[in-house]
Amino acid sequence: MERESIRVTRSVSIPISEIAFRYSRSSGPGGQHAQKTETRVEALFDVEASSSLTDRQKNRVVRKAGPILRAVAQDERSQARNRELATERVADALREALHIERRRVATKPSKGAVERRLEQKRRRSQTKRLRQPPRD
């Protein structure tokens, strides 16, 4: 079930053909299988060469994550599964880089909230004053 494009956000999807894959042998133990099969997958996405992103999106991604997004997967024994994982990780990195932080709108406490806070402070002050020994 090979997909031809990956949906990153509602408005952005990148064709799988824009992601380059490199295969190598996984590290660590694994016996005969690991020593002869190339299950480690490295997915590379060239942001500046992409035709699916606008210039503004490309600038944002390059500024936040760099010109090439790279993800490595060697979690599974299957090359196909590692390829899927690496592709998902590239999409996650792209999603993160495309995310625009919302501007914080400065707010001020309501008049009632200020009054309640001050009244509570007065009560607490009174309680502490009553705990003190009497002055002569």
Side-chain angles (χ1 to χ4, degrees), residues 74-135:
Q74 58 181 2
D75 310 0
E76 304 288 333
R77 286 184 56 164
S78 155
Q79 186 188 75
R81 180 68 184 125
N82 281 335
R83 184 179 159 124
E84 285 176 22
L85 287 171
T87 306
E88 287 172 25
R89 290 173 187 166
V90 165
D92 289 342
L94 186 57
R95 193 174 299 117
E96 184 73 30
L98 285 170
H99 180 72
I100 301 169
E101 284 293 321
R102 294 175 105 188
R103 286 187 57 161
R104 183 187 180 282
V105 177
T107 58
K108 105 181 161 175
S110 67
K111 202 169 185 179
V114 170
E115 276 302 316
R116 284 191 298 275
R117 187 181 117 263
L118 293 175
E119 181 56 36
Q120 187 177 4
K121 286 178 75 153
R122 279 191 282 275
R123 278 200 207 110
R124 187 79 180 138
S125 170
Q126 180 64 26
T127 304
K128 288 189 170 195
R129 214 176 299 123
L130 291 172
R131 287 184 191 154
Q132 291 178 352
R135 294 185 178 201

Side-chain angles (χ1 to χ4, degrees), residues 4-6 8 11-19 45-58 67 94 98:
E4 54 274 343
S5 68
I6 304 151
V8 179
S11 60
V12 177
S13 70
I14 53 172
I16 207 91
S17 59
E18 290 188 0
I19 299 177
F45 177 66
D46 188 353
V47 177
E48 291 161 338
S50 174
S51 61
S52 55
L53 298 174
T54 65
D55 287 338
R56 288 180 77 182
Q57 289 171 333
K58 287 179 187 180
L94 186 57
L98 285 170

